[in-house]
Amino acid sequence: MRTRFPSLSALSYGAHWPAGKRIAIVASAVAVLLAIAAVVALLTGGGNGHQAPGAATPAPTDSPSSTEDAPKPSSGTGAVPKPPQIAEPVAYAKAAAQMLWSYDTRNTSRDQQLAGMHAWMTGESAYADWASVSGQVPDPVLWSRMADQEQHASASVTEGHFPSAFKQALADDPSAITKAYIYVVTVNGKQQIAWKKGGGGAEERAVTLAVQCRPNHDCTLAAIAPSVTQ
């Protein structure tokens, strides 16, 4: 019987998302989404991923927050892809979701998986919720059992969008975007799972991500929301 990699849509991370940080992330994102939808459409003209929304402002240089699950510097990243150079929130969120839904225990250790995921995170500790992201990775014992079964997964993304509730809230205070440049994006897709001796299967996936996209900077991942918002 196979050992399953935890489903993003089946787990709740409320316990890992401190109230203060959750409020900061969500409050910023709530006030951002509607403006992004209009500004990004104007600036990208349908697809230049390196054009950043909004006016240029200096980006803070806070160091990433550390946790007990922080990856080891020398562990490498295995099969985890490097973060893309994308400055458009939805496009980056789609790439991040695909990364989160993909893994390969045949050639990637748990530490490498964590290190690879950490590379996608924002360096601003005020907004980085590493616990919500690292919580996607099974504990060492379960990862080892998955490796024994040569379990691996790939993912495809069908669409990404700004949730309607956040877009509506943004209408009340669009200028709030200029503080944190945090965007909330919901991504839908499918995960293909396989293991040795020809086993496999596919499942639908959905996740809501907090993505930071400061002007003139590539986007980064801030957090995974405790629940999916459509």
mmCIF file of all heavy atoms in Angstrom, residues 41 53-55 107 136 161 167:
data_model
loop_
_atom_site.group_PDB
_atom_site.id
_atom_site.type_symbol
_atom_site.label_atom_id
_atom_site.label_comp_id
_atom_site.label_asym_id
_atom_site.label_seq_id
_atom_site.Cartn_x
_atom_site.Cartn_y
_atom_site.Cartn_z
ATOM 1 N N ALA A 41 -2.968 44.134 -15.642
ATOM 2 C CA ALA A 41 -3.512 44.030 -16.992
ATOM 3 C C ALA A 41 -2.964 45.142 -17.882
ATOM 4 O O ALA A 41 -2.635 44.926 -19.050
ATOM 5 C CB ALA A 41 -5.036 44.097 -16.941
ATOM 6 N N PRO A 53 3.867 45.406 -11.226
ATOM 7 C CA PRO A 53 2.768 46.339 -11.021
ATOM 8 C C PRO A 53 3.153 47.424 -10.033
ATOM 9 O O PRO A 53 3.926 47.228 -9.119
ATOM 10 C CB PRO A 53 1.666 45.439 -10.444
ATOM 11 C CG PRO A 53 2.403 44.336 -9.770
ATOM 12 C CD PRO A 53 3.623 44.099 -10.619
ATOM 13 N N GLY A 54 2.574 48.609 -10.184
ATOM 14 C CA GLY A 54 2.760 49.665 -9.207
ATOM 15 C C GLY A 54 3.987 50.520 -9.480
ATOM 16 O O GLY A 54 4.759 50.298 -10.394
ATOM 17 N N ALA A 55 4.178 51.509 -8.626
ATOM 18 C CA ALA A 55 5.312 52.416 -8.766
ATOM 19 C C ALA A 55 6.514 51.863 -8.022
ATOM 20 O O ALA A 55 6.385 51.131 -7.057
ATOM 21 C CB ALA A 55 4.947 53.782 -8.203
ATOM 22 N N ASN A 107 15.287 10.859 -5.758
ATOM 23 C CA ASN A 107 16.564 11.568 -5.855
ATOM 24 C C ASN A 107 16.612 12.845 -5.030
ATOM 25 O O ASN A 107 17.514 13.664 -5.200
ATOM 26 C CB ASN A 107 16.873 11.899 -7.320
ATOM 27 C CG ASN A 107 15.747 12.679 -7.991
ATOM 28 O OD1 ASN A 107 14.978 13.377 -7.325
ATOM 29 N ND2 ASN A 107 15.643 12.566 -9.307
ATOM 30 N N GLN A 136 4.042 21.456 4.501
ATOM 31 C CA GLN A 136 3.622 20.606 3.394
ATOM 32 C C GLN A 136 4.445 19.317 3.325
ATOM 33 O O GLN A 136 4.015 18.338 2.718
ATOM 34 C CB GLN A 136 3.793 21.362 2.066
ATOM 35 C CG GLN A 136 3.060 22.678 1.976
ATOM 36 C CD GLN A 136 1.565 22.502 2.070
ATOM 37 O OE1 GLN A 136 0.986 21.714 1.342
ATOM 38 N NE2 GLN A 136 0.939 23.217 2.976
ATOM 39 N N HIS A 161 -6.189 32.697 -10.104
ATOM 40 C CA HIS A 161 -6.983 33.924 -10.111
ATOM 41 C C HIS A 161 -6.955 34.597 -8.741
ATOM 42 O O HIS A 161 -6.628 33.968 -7.734
ATOM 43 C CB HIS A 161 -8.434 33.627 -10.493
ATOM 44 C CG HIS A 161 -9.136 32.754 -9.487
ATOM 45 N ND1 HIS A 161 -9.062 31.367 -9.505
ATOM 46 C CD2 HIS A 161 -9.913 33.063 -8.419
ATOM 47 C CE1 HIS A 161 -9.758 30.858 -8.515
ATOM 48 N NE2 HIS A 161 -10.291 31.869 -7.831
ATOM 49 N N LYS A 167 -10.798 40.747 -3.836
ATOM 50 C CA LYS A 167 -10.952 41.856 -4.786
ATOM 51 C C LYS A 167 -11.991 42.856 -4.303
ATOM 52 O O LYS A 167 -11.818 44.072 -4.430
ATOM 53 C CB LYS A 167 -11.340 41.300 -6.160
ATOM 54 C CG LYS A 167 -10.205 40.583 -6.854
ATOM 55 C CD LYS A 167 -10.502 40.349 -8.319
ATOM 56 C CE LYS A 167 -11.554 39.308 -8.541
ATOM 57 N NZ LYS A 167 -11.726 39.016 -9.991
#
